[in-house]
Amino acid sequence: MNKKLLVMVVGMLMMLLVVACGDNNNGGNELNNNGANDVETNEDNGAEEEVEIDEEAAGDAEFTIRAGIGLNSEHPQYKGLEKFKELVEEETDGAIYVETYHSGQLGDDRSMMEALQLGSQEVTVPSTAPIANFINEFSIFDFPFLFPNSEVADEVLDGEVGQKFLDMLDDQNLKGLAYWENGFRDLTNSEQEVASVEDFEGLTIRTMENDLHLDAFRAMGANPTPMAFTELFTALQQGTVDGQENPFATIYLEGFYEVQDYVSDTHHIYSPFVFMMSKPFYDSLPEDYQTVVDEAALEAGEYQRELNREANDQYLENLIEEGMTFTEITDEAREEMREAIEPVLEEYAQQIDQDLVDEVYQAIEDAE
Ligand code: TK8
């Protein structure tokens, strides 16, 4: 092949590469003078809602925070984000402007974490399950039946052990600021009542993108498949999966009762949310503003947890009113589930870090 032709071929390949790289950058963000960017949003399940940006306030601000979550604008997770915005803008007198996005408008938990690492987004609040793909130790928080109740969870997460895990995020170019609450996860499906571990047999269940969740559901006889939350409603609607598991507030506020018939209070995992910031952005803030975002993430977190607990108590009733069949899980049945999963936990404990697992269990015992 003569030299000229070779140069041409290489040139074309380079062009193709540049185009491909541009597409992966979470919507191809163009930064303007104070860091705010023109964000492209996904176009379904509540994501089409208009994002309100106060152009003047954004224009006057020294710093802009793009904060995105996966759940919709009705969910306590978004109410918490709005509270964070209110506190930060007040405390900094508008020097920091917060844009808030919901319903996966900026992507799913995993892609938003990657956007934080890249610096094309500043804040997101994912569940701990997808974080385990970045830091394996976070799988511990998704051990089924780990936390007996949310009060004990608060004490452990807001204590030394919780801080130890938040500090691990630094190595991933992420800054962990607080734990918010997703809640106790409960199973729904469109096939049959689930009252005991046998009833999981053959059900195709969507799980979060987390190996431990997959192995735990396999151990109970189900046929699990990992999927981003942004794809879940459509997958349920089209019958790609029979069921899923989330707290009652999410099942109700995301309208899953429209595409699911059965709900059981399996309460098999307590899911914390982690409020995190892009570390390069956090480090670029003056110290007093770092203190403002630290405190606002904690205060908004307390507010969010309270709202979330009220919501979860209320929304089971709403689900039954919407026509779902509710099955109460007995302590015996829950014990059977725990036994079925036990071998998986032993394997993961060794694989992750037995000492760290023991430290978490000790902290739970001390908090009880
Ligand atoms: C929303 C998710 C959701 C989680 C899931 O982004 O994926 O099922 O429970 O809350 O974080």
Side-chain angles (χ1 to χ4, degrees), residues 106-119:
L106 297 185
D108 57 61
D109 285 1
R110 188 183 182 135
S111 65
M112 288 193 279
M113 284 178 68
E114 289 162 354
L116 263 61
Q117 292 177 311
L118 285 173

Side-chain angles (χ1 to χ4, degrees), residues 57-120:
D60 295 345
E62 257 177 272
F63 299 93
T64 294
I65 291 179
R66 289 153 296 184
I69 60 166
L71 298 173
N72 69 26
S73 56
E74 298 306 312
H75 198 280
Q77 189 190 33
Y78 190 68
K79 306 297 178 198
L81 211 55
E82 289 180 320
K83 174 62 101 177
F84 174 79
K85 172 181 170 70
E86 181 196 312
L87 293 168
V88 168
E89 291 179 358
E90 211 172 277
E91 287 300 315
T92 64
D93 217 7
I96 300 184
Y97 181 72
V98 183
E99 297 171 6
T100 55
Y101 299 88
H102 54 77
S103 306
Q105 287 169 326
L106 297 185
D108 57 61
D109 285 1
R110 188 183 182 135
S111 65
M112 288 193 279
M113 284 178 68
E114 289 162 354
L116 263 61
Q117 292 177 311
L118 285 173
S120 59

Side-chain angles (χ1 to χ4, degrees), residues 12 41 57 63 185 187 197 213 218 228 237 269 274 332 350:
M12 278 170 66
T41 61
F63 299 93
R185 306 181 74 85
L187 184 82
V197 73
H213 284 232
R218 273 193 207 104
Q237 197 174 38
I269 290 173
V274 176
E332 295 74 39
Q350 276 152 27

Side-chain angles (χ1 to χ4, degrees), residues 134-178:
F134 298 78
I135 303 170
N136 201 17
E137 285 83 350
F138 267 81
S139 290
I140 298 173
F141 287 143
D142 280 80
F143 277 21
F145 308 109
L146 179 72
F147 293 111
N149 56 56
S150 41
E151 288 69 33
V152 168
D154 290 355
E155 201 162 323
V156 173
L157 295 171
D158 298 346
E160 263 177 50
V161 165
Q163 188 57 48
K164 192 173 193 169
F165 282 80
L166 291 183
D167 294 344
M168 292 178 193
L169 291 164
D170 285 20
D171 295 345
Q172 294 288 325
N173 233 8
L174 301 164
K175 186 76 188 164
L177 297 182

Side-chain angles (χ1 to χ4, degrees), residues 275-295:
F275 185 102
M276 57 176 70
M277 191 170 263
S278 161
K279 190 162 182 312
F281 176 79
Y282 182 85
D283 295 344
S284 75
L285 292 174
E287 233 174 84
D288 53 343
Y289 288 171
Q290 289 181 348
T291 308
V292 168
V293 294
D294 292 348
E295 291 172 356

